[in-house]
Amino acid sequence: MTDRPSGARTVRAPRGTELTAKGWQQEAALRMLHNNLDPEVAEHPDELVVYGGTGKAARDWRSFDRIAATLRDLEGDETLLVQSGRPVGVMRTHEWAPRVLIANSNLVGDWANWEEFRRLEALGLTMYGQMTAGSWIYIGTQGILQGTYETFGAVAAKRGGTLEGTITLTAGLGGMGGAQPLAVTMNGGVAIVVECDASRIDRRIEHRYLDARAESIDEALRLAVEARDARRPLSIGLLGNAAEVLPELLRRGAPIDIVTDQTSAHDPLAYLPAGVAFEDWKDYAAAKPEEFTRRARESMAAHVQAMVGFMDAGAEVFDYGNSIRGEAKTAGFERAFDFPGFVPAYIRPLFCEGKGPFRWAALSGDPADIARTDRAVMDLFPENEHLNRWIRMAGEKVAYQGLPARICWLGQGERAAAGERFNELVASGEVSAPLAIGRDHLDTGSVASPYRETEAMRDGSDAIADWPLLNALVNTASGASWVSIHHGGGVGMGRSLHAGQVSVADGTELAAQKLRRVLTNDPGMGVIRHVDAGYPEAEAVAEREGLRIPMREG
Ligand code: NAD
């Protein structure tokens, strides 16, 4: 391959029980960094891009090599500092401190826009970390599958508990969007997913997230209606540009019940404008970024206008956290915000309980370890049928990408119980090597993102960004193995601040103590954030779980 970027090569996480670093926390960071760039996991590994447009794991290949070498050498009382994907220092700390502290893509308020970011990126001074790309806990499309399953489950709940007999129309089969077809079929429905990159359609079929591909709008509609009428779940990938296909489907009066979107609209250079050939995308965006951005935004306006048209025709329509409403509004479409974001519509009640995307990866590489943890979760929460159904279906339907991993949404109290149980399984040898336990930044108390996670907060505190910063600080103080603070994930520059944590269950008593604290305090931040914003559901959870909130004492 002559045109690979300098230093690019194929990487994959080490497997097994042998340490290549000086402790399991360092080893876990090393394996998870490699895992993020495993070709099975990353969307564009040669460019170090993991998912979400240009979300990267390290700034460049030299930085990757220096991070890996430093992690192998790092002592159990040292901390590696990573600034936007580049290792910039090693500090003496202590054994309760994180082994890695990461800050990605942060810019001062007035400078926090794509233009300035790209100028700095071109100078080699920063990188876009997305959420779990730059914080080394992306686990492939399964990571978002559970959240998407929860969201479509909530849509189904409004229709008697199932999506049977409905057609969902959406776009984008990338790292995140690729979860949509399977989440719809797991809830019994039919999905048509528009995607302009044929290789993404093939990849989702290969990974069993997508059932079929249609060569034309007519074929997609015929397959969808047949399956809907037979009340048979089916997902169909349709090659095309969403900004052209959605208006056309609306014009034809297509029988669509639910509409959303997961193209990479948060980054105008990662959204293909109508009329631009897929093959010309990269060169055109690189040569004329301003013109490309203007055309992408105009196309998003047409795309969102069609979504509003479906809403007017009676469909359930929601924004799936990619900022497409904001971009369409910028392009001058006044009704862009007529439909809601998915968080206020479906997810906030779960956030009030401290619920969010808890996930773990088996550092051994052995799927039997995840099977053992799956049983442990079902044993811990036998009364939670929704959770048990998910774990069973995930075991059957989810093909692992990279290290075997699992995700399920757990709340306050539940996460700590699961983490402690996992640590016992490692200690007893029932699980063959340590587990890395983390989460998405899209969580209950770790993000400020007014177009997504904190849209329409009850007290109007949508843009208050103290919460994710406190979240990162409290996880650092509680014993997490690595902690990250990012800007711009999910919805783009200037629109979000968010934090992540990963903690390693290595079977030691020290790990048990750290896990108890981190997995209590991390979701606890979400509960107190929602109490502060005036949600009674969160107040009930705080009381039940004994969370102390000074303003409610005395
Ligand atoms: P990605 O870049 O991996 O995939 C985006 C896909 O959209 C690509 O396959 C691309 O070919 C396709 N696309 C772009 N323009 C198109 C067009 N005009 N018509 C049809 N297809 C087009 O990104 P991803 O990781 O899948 O994330 C998708 C979006 O969802 C991002 O904006 C991301 O920030 C957002 N997101 C949402 C959530 C959530 O919970 N809802 C979570 C994470 C990310």
Side-chain angles (χ1 to χ4, degrees):
M1 299 270 289
T2 47
D3 55 357
R4 282 184 121 180
S6 162
R9 76 210 79 123
T10 303
V11 298
R12 188 170 181 260
R15 265 71 172 164
T17 56
E18 294 297 312
L19 279 174
T20 61
K22 293 183 173 173
W24 273 106
Q25 293 188 79
Q26 301 91 307
E27 182 76 24
L30 187 68
R31 291 191 189 191
M32 295 309 291
L33 166 64
H34 280 74
N35 196 55
N36 264 12
L37 293 171
D38 183 323
E40 278 180 35
V41 176
E43 294 292 320
H44 305 290
D46 278 5
E47 285 92 40
L48 299 123
V49 169
V50 183
Y51 77 98
T54 54
K56 291 170 77 170
R59 193 160 333 155
D60 46 40
W61 283 99
R62 172 150 165 78
S63 299
F64 171 85
D65 285 337
R66 293 314 308 153
I67 293 171
T70 310
L71 286 170
R72 281 192 201 96
D73 265 0
L74 198 75
E75 299 293 342
D77 64 353
E78 289 180 329
T79 297
L80 166 64
L81 303 180
V82 176
Q83 179 259 322
S84 291
R86 189 172 197 247
V88 290
V90 173
M91 303 274 179
R92 169 65 49 83
T93 54
H94 55 88
E95 65 174 1
W96 272 80
R99 296 286 70 82
V100 191
L101 290 172
I102 299 172
N104 280 325
S105 335
N106 296 288
L107 293 176
V108 171
D110 273 3
W111 283 259
N113 55 58
W114 278 118
E115 203 183 12
E116 178 64 4
F117 174 80
R118 292 202 205 288
R119 189 184 74 79
L120 295 165
E121 188 185 30
L123 291 172
L125 298 174
T126 189
M127 73 160 201
Y128 185 51
Q130 253 292 2
M131 290 194 158
T132 52
S135 58
W136 313 339
I137 186 70
Y138 186 63
I139 57 170
T141 311
Q142 185 197 170
I144 201 68
L145 179 60
Q146 166 68 8
T148 316
Y149 168 80
E150 294 284 347
T151 302
F152 282 103
V155 178
K158 283 185 158 182
R159 297 168 173 264
T162 175
L163 293 182
E164 270 180 31
T166 66
I167 300 176
T168 296
L169 171 64
T170 183
L173 285 171
M176 296 278 140
Q180 299 178 98
L182 183 53
V184 171
T185 54
M186 277 178 155
N187 279 292
V190 174
I192 299 175
V193 192
V194 184
E195 167 60 61
C196 61
D197 179 349
S199 75
R200 299 298 94 181
I201 297 182
D202 294 342
R203 187 176 168 114
R204 298 310 157 215
I205 290 178
E206 193 187 314
H207 289 150
R208 297 189 283 144
Y209 274 60
L210 182 67
D211 298 324
R213 77 183 277 166
E215 301 305 328
S216 66
I217 293 184
D218 287 330
E219 190 188 1
L221 276 177
R222 184 178 54 73
L223 289 172
V225 168
E226 273 172 21
R228 180 201 65 187
D229 291 348
R231 301 183 82 78
R232 176 169 48 86
L234 180 71
S235 57
I236 304 151
L238 172 59
L239 186 65
N241 190 314
E244 294 163 342
V245 174
L246 266 80
E248 175 59 18
L249 284 168
L250 182 66
R251 197 185 61 73
R252 292 187 190 194
I256 304 298
D257 302 285
I258 298 150
V259 187
T260 189
D261 178 60
Q262 281 220 358
T263 56
S264 266
H266 70 276
D267 174 358
L269 297 184
Y271 182 97
L272 184 66
V276 175
F278 174 75
E279 296 68 34
D280 299 335
W281 184 346
K282 278 207 159 164
D283 289 345
Y284 183 14
K288 295 182 177 169
E290 279 162 29
E291 181 182 309
F292 190 98
T293 296
R294 183 181 49 73
R295 288 188 63 181
R297 286 191 171 131
E298 281 167 14
S299 292
M300 288 189 237
H303 184 163
V304 172
Q305 188 170 5
M307 293 173 80
V308 169
F310 279 111
M311 184 188 77
D312 290 343
E316 171 111 13
V317 182
F318 58 94
D319 172 301
Y320 214 153
N322 63 355
S323 229
I324 195 162
R325 291 172 304 171
E327 296 297 331
K329 182 95 196 254
T330 305
F333 180 53
E334 283 305 320
R335 293 188 62 196
F337 281 85
D338 275 16
F339 54 86
F342 73 110
V343 173
Y346 312 111
I347 301 295
R348 185 140 314 130
L350 303 177
F351 280 173
C352 286
E353 295 175 49
K355 274 203 174 138
F358 183 77
R359 62 176 60 171
W360 61 101
L363 297 176
S364 63
D366 186 351
D369 284 349
I370 292 299
R372 182 66 195 89
T373 56
D374 281 351
R375 288 201 302 282
V377 170
M378 292 192 281
D379 288 347
L380 274 173
F381 311 110
E383 72 298 339
N384 186 338
E385 268 173 43
H386 181 71
L387 172 68
N388 277 266
R389 176 156 171 256
W390 158 257
I391 296 280
R392 272 195 308 275
M393 281 203 294
E396 285 165 23
K397 299 208 179 215
V398 170
Y400 296 129
Q401 294 167 254
L403 289 172
R406 183 65 74 228
I407 173 164
C408 63
W409 277 42
L410 294 182
Q412 185 67 20
E414 296 172 334
R415 295 196 206 186
E420 284 187 65
R421 182 74 191 110
F422 289 177
N423 199 51
E424 287 166 11
L425 293 176
V426 177
S428 66
E430 286 174 81
V431 162
S432 65
L435 301 164
I437 304 175
R439 59 162 171 76
D440 197 354
H441 296 202
L442 184 175
D443 195 14
T444 164
S446 54
V447 52
S449 185
Y451 287 147
R452 201 164 90 178
E453 290 87 340
T454 52
E455 174 177 343
M457 292 296 288
R458 173 167 287 192
D459 63 348
S461 60
D462 306 18
I464 298 285
D466 299 332
W467 299 100
L469 301 178
L470 282 172
N471 176 258
L473 293 170
V474 84
N475 282 327
T476 300
S478 302
S481 300
W482 63 97
V483 175
S484 50
I485 297 178
H486 294 195
H487 170 109
V491 284
M493 283 296 135
R495 293 178 175 158
S496 62
L497 273 175
H498 40 94
Q501 70 81 16
V502 181
S503 298
V504 179
D506 63 7
T508 60
E509 176 49 31
L510 180 61
Q513 289 184 34
K514 291 178 175 181
L515 286 166
R516 200 172 305 136
R517 285 169 175 75
V518 173
L519 297 178
T520 300
N521 298 341
D522 184 33
M525 278 299 305
V527 178
I528 67 170
R529 197 262 179 272
H530 288 87
V531 170
D532 198 76
Y535 290 86
E537 306 93 301
E539 283 169 29
V541 175
E543 197 154 312
R544 187 190 76 209
E545 298 293 327
L547 289 171
R548 288 196 57 192
I549 299 171
M551 293 303 284
R552 300 186 63 80
E553 293 173 355

